[in-house]
Amino acid sequence: MSALEVVDVDRIHGRGNSAVHALRGMSIQVERGELVAVMGPSGSGKSTLLNLAGGLDRATAGSVRVDGVELGELSPKELAKLRRHRVGYVFQDFNLMPSLTAAENVALPLEFDGLRPRDARRVAEEALAEVSLRDLADRLPEDMSGGQQQRVAIARAIVGDRTLILADEPTGALDSETGEQVMRLLRERCARGVAALLVTHDAGHAAWADRIVFLRDGAAVDDTGTRPRVESLLTEA
Ligand code: ADP
Ligand code: MG
């Protein structure tokens, strides 16, 4: 069973004259252990694809399955539960709660799930240790560098037993060395059986992926990209 299976998906925003076809006939499959990069010009549907895969948005037509579960058949409540248990999201702007420490940010989804605070704290510390941040567990986001904040966001995304990590330009706000570090972390998680879908504009970061999928106008155009192809798509963006 694939970690993520998107089959012939359309996503239309709005109606009538203002309707925007963000995805049309989009299909993609990601297996456990696989890191797949998604590239394409601005507006080509990359974020829409990740939002559908993470259950943050619903397809207009077609099928989205996470771990074999058809998301279109889930109630909003079931969808929220699946998001907390199976899917980890990493955004470009980290999205940490500013008034919570690193450990509290990572522990939050676990506490939502009813884990006792003390147990949530222990699991959060383990996740922070995996991204080499155990020493900063009690620090607030504003007292951390961008790279450290992004590593906290990754710890939050991997905490528990997630099968799918969705990362939407997670290295966009980072310097190149920190960006490489974030890529290495994603790669390591995949080596341990997680599936990851990564949106990036950086060909060097996409090179960490097993596969690159190119989007244009809401559909995959090429699955076997070469570097010149990557660059021509990026310069059109
Ligand atoms: P990308 O991440 O590749 O830049 P997006 O998935 O964000 O692309 O957007 C794809 C298309 O869908 C764009 O034309 C965008 O303007 C449109 N779009 C995305 N979200 C919405 C929305 N909530 N309402 C209307 N149009 C949207
Ligand atoms: Mg986007």
Side-chain angles (χ1 to χ4, degrees):
M1 188 201 318
S2 303
L4 173 66
E5 210 172 346
V6 172
V7 184
D8 216 8
V9 159
D10 285 11
R11 176 63 173 108
I12 303 170
H13 294 291
R15 286 162 192 274
N17 285 341
S18 61
V20 178
H21 225 127
L23 291 176
R24 55 177 88 223
M26 177 68 204
S27 296
I28 186 175
Q29 201 167 324
V30 186
E31 308 301 329
R32 278 171 172 268
E34 217 181 8
L35 172 61
V36 176
V38 178
M39 303 188 85
S42 175
S44 57
K46 305 182 297 295
S47 294
T48 300
L49 172 65
L50 261 64
N51 289 341
L52 291 174
L56 295 170
D57 186 16
R58 284 185 190 269
T60 308
S63 161
V64 179
R65 268 181 238 125
V66 172
D67 260 353
V69 176
E70 175 65 57
L71 302 194
E73 289 170 6
L74 299 183
S75 68
K77 209 170 171 181
E78 290 168 327
L79 207 52
K81 193 169 170 203
L82 178 128
R83 276 203 304 269
R84 287 199 306 272
H85 286 273
R86 308 265 175 103
V87 182
Y89 235 108
V90 186
F91 302 91
Q92 177 170 352
D93 58 2
F94 322 135
N95 256 13
L96 300 176
M97 304 280 282
S99 60
L100 300 183
T101 65
E104 287 166 349
N105 264 285
V106 177
L108 195 60
L110 301 169
E111 289 190 40
F112 275 144
D113 267 345
L115 214 61
R116 286 187 318 188
R118 205 190 326 142
D119 294 331
R121 166 86 196 191
R122 181 178 45 76
V123 177
E125 280 182 2
E126 284 165 12
L128 285 169
E130 283 196 52
V131 298
S132 311
L133 282 183
R134 188 170 221 150
D135 293 346
L136 302 191
D138 294 318
R139 207 172 274 194
L140 290 170
E142 64 184 10
D143 297 323
M144 291 186 271
S145 70
Q148 288 167 343
Q149 289 181 54
Q150 193 57 303
R151 277 147 65 200
V152 174
I154 289 180
R156 184 184 53 188
I158 62 178
V159 80
D161 191 20
R162 314 288 176 82
T163 48
L164 180 63
I165 297 184
L166 302 168
D168 198 348
E169 302 188 42
T171 58
L174 304 177
D175 63 67
S176 61
E177 196 178 318
T178 315
E180 289 283 309
Q181 209 175 19
V182 164
M183 289 311 305
R184 188 167 302 120
L185 275 171
L186 285 177
R187 189 72 262 183
E188 279 168 12
R189 292 311 295 186
C190 290
R192 292 163 58 176
V194 170
L197 195 56
L198 158 82
V199 172
T200 182
H201 288 293
D202 187 317
H205 292 168
W208 286 80
D210 298 296
R211 247 173 337 121
I212 304 175
V213 172
F214 297 98
L215 286 195
R216 176 181 277 155
D217 297 334
V221 290
D222 191 21
D223 216 346
T224 54
T226 59
R227 194 149 293 233
R229 181 94 184 114
V230 174
E231 272 156 18
S232 79
L233 277 165
L234 291 178
T235 49
E236 286 167 26

